[in-house]
Structure formats: C-alpha cells, structure tokens
Amino acid sequence: MHLKHFFVTAAVLSTVLISHTAGAQEPLKIGAVYALTGPVAPYGVAQQKALQLRTDALNAKGGLKGRKLQVFFYDTEGNGNKAVQFTRKAIESDKVDIILGPSTSGEALLAAPIANEAKVPLISHSAAQTVVDPARPYVFQTAQYDRIAVPVALQEFKRLGYTKVALLSSTDGYGQSGTAVLQELAPKYGISIILEQFDRQDTDMTAQVLRARQSSADVMLIWSTFPAPAIILRNAKAAGFAKPIYNSFAMAAPDFLNQAGPNAENTFVMSAALLLPEALSDSHPSKKAVMEEYQEFLARYKEAPTPSAQHALDAMSIIEDSVKRIDGDVNRQSLRDAIERTDIFGANGHFKFSPTDHGVSTENAPIVFLLVKGGKFTAAR
Amino acid sequence: MNSLSVVIELAVSGLVIGCVYALVAWGFTIVFNATGLVNFAAGELVMMGGVISATLHTRFALQPIVTVPLTVIVVAAVSAATDRYFLQKARRQVHMTLVMITIGLAIGLRGAMLFLTGKDFQFPPPFSEFEFPPILGINLSTQGVWVICAVAVMTGVLWWLFAKTWLGYSMRASGENPRAAQLMGVSPRWVSNLSFALAGAMGALAGTLIAPLASANYASGLYFGVKGFSAAVLGGLGSPVGAVVGGLLLGLIESFAAGYVSSGWKDAIALGLLILVLLLMPSGLFGRRATRV
C-alpha cells in the first residue's frame, strides 16, 4: 500500500512539475477571425497571407519572448453572425490570447463587444470609426477609417476647386458610415454633398448617375465596395458623364481594375500608400513601414500586397512591440495593457494608443490618390 | 441633357432590368402553374446561369455563343434533377415541407457554386461587341438590347408553347387538375420535370444576360429570387402574361423612383406599390387563383 501511495504521489508530482515547465513554452495563441470566402474575401485572404508570413518569420527567430506563435484561422465569409460565433469559439474553446480581425466593419461591430466582455484583446481590421469610438478597454483597430480618409478626400477636392460633390454610396454599413462622415465634414471645406444611394447588390445605377449629371456637380465620389463601382463606371460612360470620378479606398485593389476594365480609365482611386509605395513622399514618417511591409509581402508571395494586408501586418508590429515591453507573464491582460501604451509608425499611420484612443492617428495619414492609366494604377500627381 | 433624353434613359434602364425580372418571374409562374409549388430556388438558377457562363469563359476561353446555350442546358438539367430526385420523392408531404425543401436546395446550390466557381465577382463579355451609335444623345448598351430581344422572343415562344402545342396543353391541364390530366394520358410527374427544366432554362437565360452588366457571383441568388418573386406576385402568380407585366412594371417603377423621387427610397417605393396592388387585388394584376400555402 505504501508503494502504491508512493507511485501515485510521484505521478501527481511529476505531472505538476512537467506542466509547470511546459507552461513557459506554451505557444502564444492568436485567433484570426477573417472573411476568407464570400464577397469580401479579397480583404480577408490578403490579411491571412500577411499574418501567415509575419508569424512564420517571427517563429523562425524563436517566437516572441521564447514563445512560438500559433495562429487559428476562422472563415466568417464576411457574415456578422459567423464572426460572433468564431470569436466565441476562439475565446472559449481555443483559448486564444489575442484576436485579430474581423475584416469588415459590420462584423467588427458585432464581434468586438464579445471580446471586450470576455476580457480578450482584439485588434480589428475594419474601417468604421464606431468600432473604437468610444474606446472600449479591449478593442483596438489598425485600419484607417472613414474619419481619416474623408478629410484627405475633402482637402483634395478643395485644392482642386470643387465645391459640389455628387456622392454615390451604398446602403450597407461601409457606405452609410462614409456618407455620415462626409456629410458632417464637408461644410468645413466649403463643399456641398448631393447624395444618391443604391443597394450594394443593385444591377444598374443609371438613375443615380443621371441625377448626378443633372445636379451639375463638379466631381463624382463613389463610396461602396464590390461590385457596384464597376457597374457605376459603365453606367457613367454610357450616360456620357464628363466630370472626374473618384472611388473610395475600398477600390484600392487589382480586383477593381479587373472588374471595371476600360471604364476605369482616367478615374481616381483613394488608396493607402501600400498599393503604390512610390506615390508616398520619402519624408513621410510612415514611408519606412510601408516600404518594409511591401517588400516582405512581395518577397514571400511574388505579388504586390493589397492595402488590406497592412491591417494585419501593422497589428503584428503592434503585438511584437507590446510583448517587448511586458515584464513577466504574457497573457490577455498584460497584452492589453502593453498594447494600450503603443507608440509606433505602421503602414496605416501613427499608432499612439491611449486609454481614450484605440485607433490609428488622424494626422498625416499615408493616403495617396491614384489615377488609372493604361489599365494600371499610377500616382496622380 | 434635356429631360426627354433622361426619361428615355431611365425607361430603357428600367426595361432592361424589368426583362430580367420577367424571366425570373416566368420561372416561378411555370412551376407554380404545373405543380402548385413556389420554387424558392428560382433565384439560385439565375445565379447559376451567371456564374457558370462566366466560369466557362474564364477557364475554357469559350465565347458567349457557346457558353450561353451550354449553361442554359446544364442549369435546366440541374433544375429538373432537383425535381426528380428531391421534390418528387417528397410529393406526399405537406406543402410547407416541399417549400422548405426548395429553400434547402437553394442553399445547397449556392454552396456548390461557391465551391465550383469561386468567390469573385466575374464580368463575362457581352454577347456581341457591336456598339450602337448614340441615338438622340443616348447610348444604348448592346447587352441591354440583347436582353430586351431575348425576352421578346421568349414571350412569343412561351405563348406558342402554351396556346398551340400539345406539350403546353398538357402542362396547363396538369396544373389545373392533375387527376383528370392523368386520366387523359398526361403524366403529372413528367410535366413537373419539364416545368422545372423550363424554369431552369428561363432563370439561366436571365443570369447569362445580366452577368455582363451586373456581374456574376455565387451570392446573388437571393437578390434575384426576391425581385423575381415580387414581380410574379405583382403580375399575378400563375399568369405568364402577369409575369412579364409584373417584371417590366417593377423594373420601370424602380428606375423612375430612383430617377425622380429618391434613389435611397426606390426599393421601398417599388415594394410599397406591390403591397398596395395586393391589398386592392389580392391575386395580383392578372392572377386568377389564390395561392395555397
């Protein structure tokens, strides 16, 4: 009996000792809740590639603070309900330390509160300001959002002397968010907005284009994701719309050129500098981050990154920088606290987080205007 | 830039999309007439028309003259198969069950198309490259002309089918009174298969026609299904004439509402009018029979 007791105690003691030492090498778990299929898959797939390349590179160097990075990918298909389900799964079953994503604003607005309540840090790749304003303790965002992009567009229109803008926006979350910000800020630049709307899945926007033409606006601004802008450009050409046409940063991707074809010629697209780094001036503080991210993506995948990739790469840069600053155990709480004190430059801009500011800075955003010429994106000026 | 050209441009735009709605509405109507069933997978048939023809073009470099007939045949066959192997096996079930099966089929077809054709929005080439010169300052899109011509031709074909051929008589008879039709030597099962095949062909045609204009994507089925169903109900479910009238009317109302009232409200206005019509004429504009649920 004594022998049996001895063996039981030995077994228990050794399991405890082994699990304790194994704890030090437990991987750092990252849950990536991305839209990998579905209409917005171009965004999610680019982010997945970017995340994969950065975590592989870090793991090759031994991980962060001796802990390897383990990524769990979840495909939400761009669906908010799935985003919520997978966020829960990541937190409860896979027990991740931090969540990256979701890829779109609609999903983020649903999934972020879940992470916040469960006290798990989440770095969103969405573009809606409302995800981080008001700031919730555990929710951060790397993507530039409309409140950053809109002033850049309005400033450009002011510089070119436009006072009347025909805004064609979709009725989904992205279009509505952009519309609200544009209508709010336009008067400050002496610009009036004429609003026309359409459903993201509508098949013909001739009526909206005709109204824009009738309104004698100086310029047309399209604020929508795929596939509507390609349809609008075709309708605009057929209706003989002669004024300049601008697209939002949602169209800063090669898919736009594929879909719109010759109708995109001589139109403008607002874009994060990552799409065409040479369009950003060398003196810009984010130029270094932009060039680095562009080169690493190109080297690994032999193709240029689309701007969605930078949301994931910047998130990893933030995590890397934050882990360095943590003394002691790297867990959900310590990660969150360290992230909140981040002050680095990423491809999206300046990340200077504080308890009230969980998004990228609005100042001096690395956004450029691209002109489509010869079926390619070129620097507009 | 005078107001007449605006009216014409809006009318043309409304007619083109109205024709597409009419084709989808026919899909609902033909099946309903022959079997009493509302096939909620009709929208997916349109989607399949678009993505299959687009994928045939991108992957095998086939031209529309080949992809369109091929797609129509394939989708018609798939539609007939869904009837033979799923719906007919459940014929003894309650009507509601059959409707649920069609919804399930719609989801299955959508998933299959995602797997087979991918997630991207594809814009296949228009049926012909010929560009119309501007008439009265209006640019007619060639594909739009194809759409209108196709529906005009189909109207003639369907009229001839139902009014003059034995096949058409059988389908109408089977829809009105399956027992009597059986006694007269018409097989309701066979008619049912055929009506599903025909609906598949209509839907696929609609899909191939609209894809060059509005893109083809695996997720677009629900949108077309809802529009087509609204058009069918507006015109009177069960009436082929009603389907065309309903479709064109829905397209025109949408276009003019967006052009003259407010683009944000166009869907609300169009469907609001649908509700108004149904309140006044519950069977729709041309409907004869009440729908059993």
Side-chain angles (χ1 to χ4, degrees):
Chain A
M1 255 210 283
H2 290 289
L3 200 59
K4 192 163 131 191
H5 280 155
F6 169 75
F7 276 122
V8 167
T9 326
V12 169
L13 267 175
S14 43
T15 353
V16 167
L17 283 169
I18 288 169
S19 56
H20 182 73
T21 47
Q25 276 113 16
E26 222 181 73
L28 191 59
K29 295 187 186 168
I30 301 175
V33 182
Y34 289 164
L36 300 173
T37 57
V40 291
Y43 304 143
V45 168
Q47 288 158 1
Q48 180 189 36
K49 283 180 157 157
L51 186 56
Q52 196 68 62
L53 100 84
R54 189 61 81 80
T55 48
D56 287 348
L58 284 170
N59 278 341
K61 289 191 282 185
L64 290 175
K65 277 216 154 94
R67 290 174 70 177
K68 294 266 179 172
L69 299 167
Q70 185 183 10
V71 185
F72 297 84
F73 284 106
Y74 309 95
D75 179 10
T76 66
E77 299 173 38
N79 179 313
N81 291 322
K82 293 213 165 78
V84 167
Q85 276 170 28
F86 286 126
T87 304
R88 280 197 215 280
K89 178 163 190 272
I91 295 173
E92 289 159 24
S93 325
D94 297 317
K95 301 215 191 316
V96 301
D97 298 296
I98 183 166
I99 295 179
L100 296 190
S103 312
T104 66
S105 312
E107 301 171 77
L109 288 166
L110 292 173
I114 311 284
N116 199 46
E117 264 181 52
K119 296 200 180 5
V120 177
L122 177 144
I123 306 184
S124 178
H125 301 343
S126 54
Q129 187 198 352
T130 42
V131 175
V132 288
D133 181 13
R136 281 173 281 213
Y138 289 82
V139 180
F140 302 86
Q141 187 166 259
T142 44
Q144 296 161 338
Y145 45 86
D146 17 46
R147 196 159 279 269
I148 296 174
V150 164
V152 175
L154 290 171
Q155 182 57 40
E156 178 76 354
F157 290 155
K158 185 170 174 190
R159 185 185 76 87
L160 291 164
Y162 302 146
T163 53
K164 222 173 182 189
V165 174
L167 171 64
L168 271 64
S169 66
S170 55
T171 50
D172 64 2
Y174 176 74
Q176 289 308 288
S177 184
T179 302
V181 180
L182 276 160
Q183 286 178 321
E184 182 196 323
L185 297 180
K188 301 200 177 96
Y189 294 80
I191 292 175
S192 65
I193 304 264
I194 291 127
L195 177 64
E196 296 300 328
Q197 295 175 302
F198 51 88
D199 186 288
R200 182 163 61 86
Q201 290 188 303
D202 271 347
T203 53
D204 191 89
M205 270 62 93
T206 301
Q208 288 86 343
V209 169
L210 288 175
R211 279 173 79 98
R213 197 179 70 183
Q214 301 285 71
S215 73
S216 51
D218 303 308
V219 64
M220 181 195 286
L221 175 62
I222 304 172
W223 206 274
S224 166
T225 57
F226 304 110
I231 300 173
I232 295 176
L233 288 180
R234 185 171 45 75
N235 294 149
K237 197 152 190 208
F241 188 84
K243 300 283 165 56
I245 302 178
Y246 281 73
N247 258 294
S248 69
F249 50 86
M251 289 300 110
D255 296 277
F256 168 65
L257 297 171
N258 292 338
Q259 290 181 14
N263 294 324
E265 200 68 11
N266 285 322
T267 65
F268 295 89
V269 176
M270 236 171 69
S271 170
L274 192 73
L275 191 64
L276 199 73
E278 52 259 36
L280 188 66
S281 98
D282 288 335
S283 56
H284 196 287
S286 280
K287 179 84 188 229
K288 179 162 175 282
V290 169
M291 291 306 295
E292 274 173 13
E293 291 185 9
Y294 187 83
Q295 298 299 351
E296 68 178 319
F297 196 98
L298 186 64
R300 163 91 179 242
Y301 294 108
K302 309 281 179 277
E303 62 181 26
T306 57
S308 342
Q310 74 190 27
H311 310 325
L313 291 170
D314 280 352
M316 283 310 298
S317 300
I318 291 173
I319 293 176
E320 220 184 315
D321 177 75
S322 304
V323 169
K324 281 198 198 103
R325 287 182 275 112
I326 296 178
D327 300 321
D329 192 26
V330 178
N331 56 38
R332 292 169 174 180
Q333 191 61 43
S334 65
L335 266 172
R336 184 221 87 88
D337 294 336
I339 291 174
E340 204 175 54
R341 296 190 309 270
T342 301
D343 186 351
I344 60 169
F345 281 95
N348 274 298
H350 190 189
F351 293 105
K352 198 168 154 75
F353 292 152
S354 72
T356 49
D357 197 347
H358 281 195
V360 65
S361 166
T362 54
E363 283 171 29
N364 207 1
I367 292 177
V368 295
F369 287 94
L370 304 173
L371 176 64
V372 179
K373 265 234 174 310
K376 290 198 178 45
F377 288 119
T378 63
R381 37 177 171 126
Chain B
M1 220 189 292
N2 58 37
S3 49
L4 177 64
S5 73
V6 168
V7 169
I8 296 178
E9 269 170 313
L10 289 173
V12 170
S13 159
L15 277 174
V16 170
I17 195 60
C19 282
V20 174
Y21 295 160
L23 281 167
V24 190
W26 265 333
F28 280 106
T29 303
I30 291 171
V31 166
F32 181 73
N33 261 343
T35 66
L37 192 60
V38 177
N39 178 19
F40 283 110
E44 305 306 319
L45 299 171
V46 177
M47 174 275 289
M48 285 171 74
V51 295
I52 292 178
S53 62
T55 307
L56 285 175
H57 173 79
T58 45
R59 246 183 248 175
F60 303 108
L62 297 169
Q63 294 308 308
I65 189 109
V66 174
T67 63
V68 173
L70 199 56
T71 304
V72 167
I73 292 170
V74 166
V75 176
V78 168
S79 180
T82 61
D83 177 48
R84 176 136 151 62
Y85 296 109
F86 291 94
L87 290 163
Q88 294 213 3
K89 301 261 183 246
R91 263 302 181 259
R92 301 207 185 282
Q93 298 293 333
V94 163
H95 194 86
M96 214 38 218
T97 309
L98 297 173
V99 170
M100 296 305 291
I101 294 179
T102 65
I103 295 177
L105 284 167
I107 298 172
L109 288 170
R110 188 186 132 131
M113 286 303 111
L114 167 60
F115 183 70
L116 289 172
T117 63
K119 53 177 166 39
D120 295 326
F121 289 91
Q122 302 186 58
F123 281 89
F127 289 8
S128 59
E129 290 302 329
F130 174 78
E131 290 221 2
F132 284 102
I135 305 169
L136 297 174
I138 298 164
N139 289 299
L140 275 174
S141 93
T142 318
Q143 189 66 16
V145 175
W146 274 105
V147 173
I148 297 177
C149 289
V151 173
V153 168
M154 279 320 298
T155 312
V157 168
L158 283 182
W159 174 82
W160 171 80
L161 181 77
F162 283 111
K164 300 283 182 197
T165 63
W166 175 85
L167 192 62
Y169 290 161
S170 316
M171 291 176 76
R172 285 161 62 191
S174 195
E176 294 221 15
N177 194 332
R179 283 277 165 80
Q182 231 172 345
L183 289 170
M184 299 303 281
V186 174
S187 157
R189 258 192 315 134
W190 191 79
V191 163
S192 174
N193 267 346
L194 197 65
S195 65
F196 269 85
L198 203 52
M202 301 275 118
L205 188 62
T208 58
L209 284 167
I210 197 71
L213 295 171
S215 87
N217 179 264
Y218 82 100
S220 62
L222 183 63
Y223 180 85
F224 287 114
V226 169
K227 299 277 181 164
F229 185 66
S230 311
V233 168
L234 176 62
L237 195 59
S239 161
V241 172
V244 177
V245 172
L248 293 179
L249 209 55
L250 189 64
L252 285 168
I253 293 173
E254 277 184 5
S255 190
F256 281 103
Y260 287 113
V261 182
S262 158
S263 49
W265 284 83
K266 74 163 164 67
D267 285 329
I269 292 172
L271 295 174
L273 278 166
L274 168 66
I275 293 175
L276 196 63
V277 168
L278 289 178
L279 284 174
L280 297 171
M281 305 172 69
S283 304
L285 292 171
F286 290 86
R288 287 166 275 122
R289 26 195 277 195
T291 55
R292 295 190 317 270
V293 176

